[in-house]
Amino acid sequence: MSQAIHHDEHYDAEGSKIGMWLFIFTELLLFGGLFIIYSVYRYMNPDAFHLAAEELNRTVGSINTIILLISSMTIAMSTSALQKGQKGTTILLLEITFMLGLIFLVNKYFEWGVKFDHGIFPGSQHMLDTLSQGEILFFGLYFAMTGLHAIHIIVGMIVIGFALAGVSKGKVHADRSALLENAGLYWHLVDLIWIFLFPLFYLIH
Amino acid sequence: MENEKHHIVPYRTYFYILAALLVFTLLSIEVTSIELGGLTVAAALLFASLKSFLVLTYFMHLKFDKPYIRIMVVFVLMIFLAVIIITFFDYFFR
Amino acid sequence: MQASSQIPHDVNYLDYKGKYKGLLSWILSTDHKRIALLYMFSMMTLFMVGVCLGLAMKLELIAPGKTIMGPQDYNAVFTVHGVIMIFMIVIPGLPAVFGNFLLPIMIGAKDVAFPKLNLFSWYVYIAGAVLVISSVLFGDGTPDTGWTFYAPYSFKTGTNMLPAIFGAFVLGFSSILTGLNFIVTIHRLRAPGMTWRKLPLFPWTLYGTAWIQLLATPVVGITLLLVSLERLFGIGVFDPALGGDPVLYQHLFWIYSHPAVYIMILPAMGAISEIIPTFSQKHVFGYNAIVVSTLAIAFVGYFVWGHHMFTAGMSGTAQYTFSILTFLVAIPSAIKVFNWISTMYKGSISLETPFYWAVSFIFVFMIGGLSGLVLGALATDVYVHDTAFVVAHFHFIVFGGVGFSFFAAIHYWFPKMFGRMYDKTWANVGWIFFFIGFLALYTPMFYLGLQGMPRRYYDYLEQFHSANILSTLGSWVMTFGLVITVINLFRSAKIGEIAPANPWNGKTLEWTVPSPPPVENFDVIPVYEEQDGPYEY
């Protein structure tokens, strides 16, 4: 067995990329569990789910979808900008992404607020009195899934914040872009989940 | 292990992808407002799958990465699909 | 090229004085070897708690009626015993201890891919353990649902379930992060020339395990989270009163918890696959078959969860699908057993303690596996479901499998980990008591189960008395063997005779570094040539 020359502690961009992908897989399966529950209950209560979905505001849902899609593009562009060495553009694009995430949350907040005002929230007496079991399940899942998704948006924004700090301090640059790329991957995951949440809750009437 | 030079994706590509995503979104909203019965679910999921394919391939760079990451993604999705199908062996035949 | 670090290469990881001293030098160290020992000592402590609870249950069952505790206490004891043993000992056991210690050395790396994440995983593990223990110490009563937290009881019972459930969720996170770390390590940090087909078998099993950890754990994570939400807000997802389906909880729970059995057993098989060739001084028989069966077990194991639910009210189609799939898992498991036996055939066997443990592992694993087929067959399962037979089966597999393999591994790698030999006589004495006690403890349960004694009852009919006495006596003999083994290891780590770098003439990379290994494992990264391989005797 021969001996090779010792490497220095090196920066392994591909290693951290795989790490991020593996983490994304666990996130997919985390939501996957919820999707299994959703599909089973939808199969068991088709009419109630139909009825309950009418309650949701399509317009708000569509606007939020568009916001997330745009934010996905801006963060993807920020990686290109970084690789081209355009630091200012990178920072601008990241800030836009961050703001879009915030707008998404604000919309979500008002959307939930309206539901709460109508007495629709987990464990509410109003729901027990007026809604069928299938509808209660629908709203239980609605709050659980969009709530968990919102938490992921917040986490994604925090990660973007770190990437932003890294870029502006010059720690993240064209040759060391793993942090930004991973922030991007995570943000796209959040987008990906919403791509399925949106039709399942808002569109399937 | 040298750091391989990245493939720089032009802004234009991302812009086209976004346009396609928005078109699919609008289409799925339109399609689902027509009463199609059971097909509504299928149509909505079809558009969602198309959109997620675009996001995975271009935004998440699978097209430009080494193939084994793509293999992993497909593998994970297949496992998830298999789990759903097997779960429905119970509910579908109950 | 010179190493940038100032760490001298002749200092071993136990003596190395870093930035911190004393305890801090351990709990702030990102060295994978120190983290492995952190896991080992925390697990040892928790294991002792679990063993005491197990002994208490057996003592209760020495005679019919109330002996030392009533029904509610008995429920609490088997719940905490299960949660500790499953979530804190056997699931993380081999990967977190031996995986952490050996994976980087065996593939010729200086550390895992993300050392800080590795330390963080240990903290997450401790946080989860503390949460679970806190459910015992505070609140309105110890959890009493069994380790499975079945809905709807888990959110209807008045006991202190939330910290226990949330603790299990947090422990899952630790497991996910460890798995993630290992996959990246194996993909990125193998020594030059070490192709996938030259990867030793223990890392291979860790690789399969890591994938299960990644893909199965989140499912139970979300399920436990939903049970917590159910308790806190009543979202209705598993509550039949609100339209939820409790059987769906069981589906989701077992989508994780069945693969979890393979998280436990795969690395155990991997350790055995290292030990048998070394003590037979022979190339492992059927390397490719072992690798393929490892991956096959990991893969098929993902689709058999329903065999825990044959009596839960699933559809007939689901029942026989799961039954067939369950039988499929037996094939790769049997392939492994044949490979181990064939490796020994015509080898020059040296009868050392790790070999005894390994051979007894094969024995108990076979009994556990074959009794698993009895449970996987629909007709017999309906008869023995929720009886002592099931308890015997999974203790043979889980405790027999992981426990025997753990002790085989610790005796095998002890000289490497601590640089000292254990006392061989006492080690063998400990093993024989443990082995006999183990058989006496669990074998009667097969008989009891077939006679119809249900599990999880603190009381039983007079006709089950004699077999239960034997079982309780067995628990004492086994614990005696365990105590001898552990004391011997602790003593030997301090005063044992100094071990050479390669006491067993092993061929994998960890035997090429000094015992105990230096801080960064290798002065120079080894290179595998064409003719090199992990088992070239």
Side-chain angles (χ1 to χ4, degrees):
Chain A
M1 216 174 282
S2 71
Q3 313 258 288
I5 298 164
H6 159 75
H7 302 251
D8 263 2
E9 197 60 45
H10 65 279
Y11 158 79
D12 183 7
E14 185 162 340
S16 53
K17 180 154 66 187
I18 306 173
M20 193 65 214
W21 268 107
L22 295 175
F23 187 69
I24 285 176
F25 295 156
T26 71
E27 294 276 21
L28 283 176
L29 266 292
L30 188 81
F31 277 93
L34 284 165
F35 281 116
I36 294 174
I37 298 173
Y38 174 91
S39 53
V40 165
Y41 287 153
R42 189 184 162 80
Y43 174 77
M44 291 165 86
N45 316 283
D47 297 331
F49 268 51
H50 194 114
L51 207 63
E54 305 263 322
E55 289 282 313
L56 296 186
N57 189 335
R58 257 185 187 215
T59 321
V60 180
S62 310
I63 292 174
N64 264 350
T65 309
I66 293 167
I67 289 174
L68 266 196
L69 289 175
I70 296 175
S71 74
S72 245
M73 181 193 70
T74 51
I75 199 162
M77 281 180 170
S78 75
T79 314
S80 290
L82 190 74
Q83 282 161 351
K84 289 178 183 173
Q86 302 162 338
K87 190 171 161 185
T89 322
T90 314
I91 291 176
L92 180 68
L93 284 165
L94 280 176
E95 284 167 352
I96 293 174
T97 313
F98 190 90
M99 287 314 293
L100 288 170
L102 204 62
I103 298 171
F104 180 96
L105 285 178
V106 171
N107 276 347
K108 192 94 254 164
Y109 172 80
F110 284 113
E111 199 190 352
W112 274 35
V114 172
K115 291 277 160 307
F116 276 56
D117 290 342
H118 291 162
I120 295 175
F121 51 88
S124 97
Q125 195 56 40
H126 173 76
M127 272 167 85
L128 283 178
D129 295 341
T130 55
L131 298 183
S132 70
Q133 290 191 332
E135 288 169 283
I136 295 176
L137 279 180
F138 179 90
F139 285 113
L141 282 171
Y142 166 76
F143 284 113
M145 291 173 88
T146 56
L148 193 64
H149 181 259
I151 292 174
H152 280 77
I153 294 255
I154 295 170
V155 173
M157 284 165 66
I158 293 170
V159 177
I160 290 175
F162 276 110
L164 201 55
V167 173
S168 39
K169 276 187 204 145
K171 273 189 195 161
V172 175
H173 49 78
D175 295 325
R176 231 187 142 89
S177 56
L179 179 61
L180 179 61
E181 283 179 38
N182 285 343
L185 280 177
Y186 192 83
W187 193 254
H188 296 311
L189 163 84
V190 173
D191 188 22
L192 213 53
I193 291 163
W194 185 257
I195 286 178
F196 281 92
L197 286 183
F198 170 61
L200 288 180
F201 281 106
Y202 293 84
L203 290 187
I204 303 179
H205 283 185
Chain B
M1 276 154 270
E2 75 289 355
N3 283 318
E4 305 89 14
K5 208 63 215 147
H6 286 279
H7 176 97
I8 301 185
V9 187
Y11 296 139
R12 202 175 54 246
T13 314
Y14 287 137
F15 196 74
Y16 290 152
I17 298 300
L18 176 68
L21 286 171
L22 292 177
V23 169
F24 284 143
T25 309
L26 293 177
L27 277 177
S28 63
I29 297 172
E30 286 307 311
V31 163
T32 48
S33 42
I34 317 167
E35 204 52 60
L36 288 170
L39 285 178
T40 317
V41 187
L45 285 181
L46 178 73
F47 281 114
S49 311
L50 279 174
K51 282 160 73 181
S52 51
F53 175 77
L54 287 180
V55 170
L56 282 167
T57 319
Y58 291 94
F59 284 175
M60 296 174 96
H61 289 195
L62 280 186
K63 191 175 192 302
F64 316 109
D65 281 331
K66 288 190 185 143
Y68 72 94
I69 301 186
R70 216 172 317 163
I71 294 170
M72 285 179 180
V73 174
V74 172
F75 169 76
V76 170
L77 293 178
M78 296 305 262
I79 284 206
F80 176 62
L81 254 158
V83 168
I84 288 203
I85 290 169
I86 294 180
T87 312
F88 268 84
F89 272 36
D90 179 8
Y91 288 93
F92 196 67
F93 295 102
R94 224 186 241 181
Chain C
M1 216 192 299
Q2 261 306 312
S4 60
S5 50
Q6 297 303 308
I7 300 163
H9 285 298
D10 49 346
V11 176
N12 73 51
Y13 80 102
L14 289 170
D15 295 340
Y16 171 63
K17 298 269 183 296
K19 245 191 293 181
Y20 305 100
K21 289 192 176 54
L23 187 65
L24 280 183
S25 73
W26 286 85
I27 62 174
L28 294 176
S29 166
T30 55
D31 183 346
H32 65 100
K33 300 179 283 297
R34 289 200 163 199
I35 294 172
L37 294 194
L38 283 179
Y39 271 114
M40 191 158 83
F41 289 118
S42 16
M43 272 176 205
M44 275 291 175
T45 316
L46 289 161
F47 183 64
M48 290 306 155
V49 178
V51 167
C52 291
L53 292 170
L55 282 173
M57 271 189 280
K58 289 280 54 159
L59 188 58
E60 167 58 35
L61 290 179
I62 198 170
K66 184 180 170 186
T67 317
I68 56 165
M69 57 181 127
Q72 184 61 30
D73 288 335
Y74 191 77
N75 291 350
V77 168
F78 75 65
T79 302
V80 179
H81 171 81
V83 172
I84 289 182
M85 289 302 203
I86 299 278
F87 289 112
M88 299 178 210
I89 313 290
V90 289
I91 289 180
L94 281 135
V97 177
F98 295 106
N100 258 325
F101 196 96
L102 291 157
L103 173 67
I105 312 184
M106 286 178 102
I107 65 172
K110 286 176 181 290
D111 208 320
V112 292
F114 309 116
K116 283 181 195 152
L117 186 69
N118 201 13
L119 180 65
F120 179 68
S121 311
W122 180 74
Y123 278 101
V124 176
Y125 171 82
I126 293 296
V130 167
L131 267 170
V132 171
I133 304 290
S134 74
S135 75
V136 178
L137 302 178
F138 310 102
D140 345 306
T142 313
D144 57 348
T145 58
W147 74 277
T148 50
F149 306 128
Y150 267 11
Y153 187 59
S154 55
F155 49 81
K156 297 280 187 209
T157 173
T159 52
N160 198 10
M161 290 309 297
L162 269 182
I165 290 176
F166 196 66
F169 174 78
V170 172
L171 286 166
F173 244 96
S174 161
S175 170
I176 289 175
L177 294 177
T178 304
L180 188 154
N181 220 334
F182 284 0
I183 294 183
V184 179
T185 307
I186 295 175
H187 268 279
R188 297 298 295 171
L189 297 181
R190 275 171 293 137
M194 184 184 274
T195 57
W196 286 95
R197 301 193 56 180
K198 288 182 176 178
L199 189 64
L201 291 165
F202 185 56
W204 257 119
T205 53
L206 288 174
Y207 187 71
T209 307
W211 273 105
I212 311 177
Q213 287 175 314
L214 275 184
L215 298 183
T217 320
V219 179
V220 82
I222 191 67
T223 314
L224 295 178
L225 212 57
L226 285 172
V227 171
S228 312
L229 290 177
E230 192 73 64
R231 256 188 107 84
L232 289 170
F233 305 115
I235 56 170
V237 173
F238 299 122
D239 189 350
L242 297 175
D245 179 14
V247 178
L248 187 58
Y249 172 87
Q250 297 190 20
H251 273 296
L252 290 159
F253 181 81
W254 290 112
I255 285 175
Y256 163 72
S257 298
H258 194 75
V261 175
Y262 299 102
I263 298 179
M264 308 163 195
I265 202 71
L266 278 177
M269 292 168 155
I272 298 301
S273 306
E274 297 292 339
I275 292 166
I276 302 263
T278 302
F279 291 97
S280 308
Q281 288 294 299
K282 193 163 156 265
H283 188 283
V284 65
F285 181 87
Y287 172 89
N288 292 336
I290 296 186
V291 171
V292 171
S293 60
T294 300
L295 299 180
I297 291 175
F299 183 72
V300 181
Y302 210 82
F303 304 113
V304 300
W305 74 85
H307 64 221
H308 296 268
M309 304 161 55
F310 284 155
T311 59
M314 277 195 305
S315 76
T317 317
Q319 288 180 344
Y320 58 70
T321 311
F322 281 122
S323 186
I324 291 167
L325 287 169
T326 304
F327 277 84
L328 286 182
V329 185
I331 299 170
S333 312
I335 289 175
K336 281 180 183 285
V337 172
F338 291 133
N339 278 314
W340 294 324
I341 307 288
S342 313
T343 305
M344 290 181 222
Y345 178 65
K346 284 193 174 170
S348 51
I349 290 176
S350 51
L351 290 174
E352 295 283 351
T353 318
F355 189 76
Y356 287 133
W357 283 101
V359 173
S360 46
F361 164 87
I362 299 178
F363 181 73
V364 295
F365 174 72
M366 275 189 343
I367 295 179
L370 292 171
S371 62
L373 293 181
V374 175
L375 294 165
L378 277 174
T380 42
D381 181 73
V382 172
Y383 179 66
V384 291
H385 191 87
D386 266 346
T387 64
F389 189 92
V390 179
V391 182
H393 158 70
F394 70 69
H395 278 91
F396 263 91
I397 280 281
V398 172
F399 185 31
V402 178
F404 278 79
S405 170
F406 190 95
F407 284 111
I410 188 109
H411 285 98
Y412 179 53
W413 281 303
F414 186 85
K416 183 56 60 188
M417 294 172 107
F418 297 100
R420 290 177 186 273
M421 289 303 287
Y422 52 82
D423 184 303
K424 290 182 183 180
T425 317
W426 279 112
N428 289 343
V429 171
W431 165 73
I432 195 73
F433 273 105
F434 189 94
F435 187 43
I436 292 170
F438 180 90
L439 293 179
L441 167 53
Y442 296 114
T443 317
M445 288 193 192
F446 280 126
Y447 167 77
L448 287 169
L450 288 174
Q451 296 298 310
M453 180 178 149
R455 67 190 280 206
R456 293 185 166 172
Y457 280 32
Y458 83 112
D459 190 8
Y460 52 82
L461 301 174
E462 183 55 40
Q463 70 207 67
F464 302 131
H465 197 172
S466 47
N468 268 305
I469 293 177
L470 178 59
S471 178
T472 305
L473 287 177
S475 74
W476 298 340
V477 176
M478 190 186 77
T479 312
F480 182 62
L482 181 71
V483 169
I484 291 179
T485 306
V486 171
I487 290 179
N488 180 35
L489 290 176
F490 264 102
R491 247 174 66 88
S492 306
K494 286 224 156 53
I495 57 161
E497 117 195 35
I498 300 290
N502 190 358
W504 317 118
N505 191 23
K507 292 291 180 186
T508 33
L509 279 177
E510 78 270 27
W511 302 112
T512 62
V513 296
S515 309
V519 177
E520 287 201 323
N521 304 342
F522 300 95
D523 292 350
V524 278
I525 298 289
V527 172
Y528 258 37
E529 304 289 348
E530 194 67 36
Q531 73 280 2
D532 291 330
Y535 307 105
E536 298 302 335
Y537 287 96

